[in-house]
Amino acid sequence: QVQPVESGGGLVQPGGSLRLSCAASGRIFSINAMGWYRQAPGKARELVASITRNHNTYYADFVKGRFTISRDNAKNTVYLQMNNLRPEDTAVYYCNYPDRVAILGYDYWGQGTQVTVSS
């Protein structure tokens, strides 16, 4: 199963910024919405933001006004610009296809990229 590849995570102080990137398969990327998910230790994976092929966006309440999702269809890449980071944003961040994640039994995830927000 071919999955998107995440990068760009790291250690940042509270209030800092990071930009995550996700490289996807061109054939799949071209017809699918893309989403960023995160999972903190001991917590369930949750949807952070998503974007359709036509650039319509969704944001979870806990990131509105701080994060921006975007996509470059020509590069088959989706980004997550994260500003004003908080310690509670610490998690492994994954990208995936929301339409596939919604399928019962679908459980194909990459390695993700670690984001740690700490002073």
Side-chain angles (χ1 to χ4, degrees):
Q1 183 73 36
V2 179
Q3 293 298 312
V5 179
E6 306 92 342
S7 63
L11 175 64
V12 65
Q13 291 184 315
S17 298
L18 286 172
R19 191 190 194 199
L20 307 183
S21 297
C22 172
S25 166
R27 293 182 180 180
I28 301 174
F29 186 92
S30 67
I31 61 173
N32 276 271
M34 297 295 299
W36 283 99
Y37 303 77
R38 71 185 187 187
Q39 186 169 29
K43 297 183 179 180
R45 183 180 286 110
E46 59 188 352
L47 177 65
V48 175
S50 64
I51 184 168
T52 70
R53 60 180 296 180
N54 295 317
H55 307 278
N56 294 314
T57 58
Y58 160 84
Y59 296 96
D61 287 343
F62 52 82
V63 303
K64 285 183 178 178
R66 300 189 299 123
F67 293 8
T68 301
I69 188 170
S70 62
R71 66 190 289 163
D72 187 332
N73 292 338
K75 296 181 178 180
N76 301 323
T77 302
V78 63
Y79 306 95
L80 185 67
Q81 178 66 46
M82 305 186 294
N83 298 325
N84 193 23
L85 284 161
R86 305 166 179 170
E88 54 264 40
D89 294 319
T90 296
V92 178
Y93 284 70
Y94 304 87
C95 62
N96 217 319
Y97 309 97
D99 294 336
R100 295 190 173 189
V101 172
I103 297 173
L104 182 65
Y106 181 89
D107 193 25
Y108 301 102
W109 301 87
Q111 64 181 8
T113 186
Q114 176 71 49
V115 172
T116 302
V117 185
S118 176
S119 60

